[in-house]
Amino acid sequence: GQQVMQIPQYQHVQEGEDFTTYCNSSTTLSNIQWYKQRPGGHPVFLIQLVKSGEVKKQKRLTFQFGEAKKNSSLHITATQTTDVGTYFCAGPWVSGAQKLVFGQGTRLTINP
Amino acid sequence: NAGVTQTPKFQVLKTGQSMTLQCAQDMNHEYMSWYRQDPGMGLRLIHYSVGAGITDQGEVPNGYNVSRSTTEDFPLRLLSAAPSQTSVYFCASSYSSGEQYFGPGTRLTVT
């Protein structure tokens, strides 16, 4: 079945360092979504990418969708302690469907 | 707006017991989903609904039932609880655009 793999599973950085998580799908995705989950909390939507090669920025966060629409990345510049949490990517089960398959997530911890 | 609400927040069941996890949303979203979250496995889709009266299975539907009689409510029923169903359960709702709004979750322990 369709799989969405995310690496790394864990990342520990010093505050101020950059952070990147990568998401790879076994199939072409019509879109990809990114979510953040704080410890003890629920996932919160960050962004959706739809176009091949799309790049979107939200302050210190940069999201990319690969040209083949099978991979994506989230890069955080100069991490802050508020960035702590688990970052998930998610893609539609089949093209256009609302059923999402989530990656395993990357858990980010930060040393202040 | 309350958004997506879930009850209870915590629940302990004995093996074989049944229970219903409640989920409600007040955003008039068509789509609602149930996920379970286990350590290291991300979120896995249990069941899904595209509107009142319509439900579909996700990745891990066995042992769970759902129904959608109204737009607002999407309860998840555990028929006969097993220790493998110990998990955190999240309900989510969305418009067709795909952005999902998650509830606060229910932490379930089956002993």
Side-chain angles (χ1 to χ4, degrees):
Chain A
Q2 180 177 354
Q3 287 189 319
V4 175
M5 306 298 293
Q6 210 173 330
I7 56 169
Q9 192 172 357
Y10 302 97
Q11 185 78 58
H12 180 77
V13 300
Q14 290 289 125
E15 188 174 15
E17 291 182 338
D18 292 357
F19 160 77
T20 305
T21 174
Y22 300 90
C23 183
N24 293 290
S25 170
S26 57
T27 60
T28 301
L29 299 170
S30 59
N31 68 79
I32 194 156
Q33 300 176 20
W34 285 92
Y35 292 81
K36 176 184 178 181
Q37 184 177 24
R38 294 182 187 275
H42 59 275
V44 174
F45 176 82
L46 293 176
I47 207 162
Q48 178 173 280
L49 305 173
V50 178
K51 297 177 184 175
S52 169
E54 189 169 14
V55 178
K56 285 189 176 180
K57 293 191 176 185
Q58 290 179 349
K59 297 184 180 177
R60 294 178 295 102
L61 278 62
T62 302
F63 302 85
Q64 291 190 302
F65 201 10
E67 294 289 341
K69 300 182 77 172
K70 294 180 73 172
N71 57 74
S72 181
S73 64
L74 158 58
H75 179 82
I76 302 178
T77 303
T79 54
Q80 299 175 0
T81 54
T82 53
D83 297 324
V84 163
T86 302
Y87 293 84
F88 293 97
C89 62
W93 192 291
V94 293
S95 180
Q98 291 305 306
K99 295 163 67 170
L100 291 181
V101 57
F102 279 77
Q104 304 96 315
T106 296
R107 184 179 171 192
L108 174 64
T109 55
I110 298 174
N111 201 23
Chain B
N1 285 354
V4 180
T5 57
Q6 291 184 239
T7 55
K9 282 189 168 55
F10 302 94
Q11 183 71 49
V12 179
L13 290 178
K14 293 187 188 304
T15 297
Q17 287 184 318
S18 62
M19 80 159 294
T20 299
L21 306 185
Q22 301 292 344
C23 174
Q25 54 95 5
D26 62 359
M27 296 174 281
N28 203 32
H29 286 166
E30 294 178 4
Y31 300 92
M32 296 187 74
S33 304
W34 275 103
Y35 296 88
R36 59 176 290 172
Q37 184 173 36
D38 303 296
M41 300 192 72
L43 293 135
R44 291 183 293 169
L45 183 67
I46 305 171
H47 282 289
Y48 162 81
S49 170
V50 299
I54 306 169
T55 63
D56 193 8
Q57 293 183 349
E59 293 177 76
V60 289
N62 292 341
Y64 307 95
N65 259 359
V66 292
S67 59
R68 182 103 179 264
S69 55
T70 67
T71 299
E72 294 78 19
D73 300 298
F74 191 42
L76 178 73
R77 279 181 284 279
L78 278 70
L79 308 173
S80 177
S84 60
Q85 293 179 305
T86 293
S87 188
V88 180
Y89 291 85
F90 288 102
C91 178
S93 71
S94 65
Y95 289 119
S96 59
S97 64
E99 173 184 348
Q100 304 229 346
Y101 295 78
F102 284 82
T106 294
R107 188 174 295 273
L108 176 68
T109 303
V110 183
T111 61

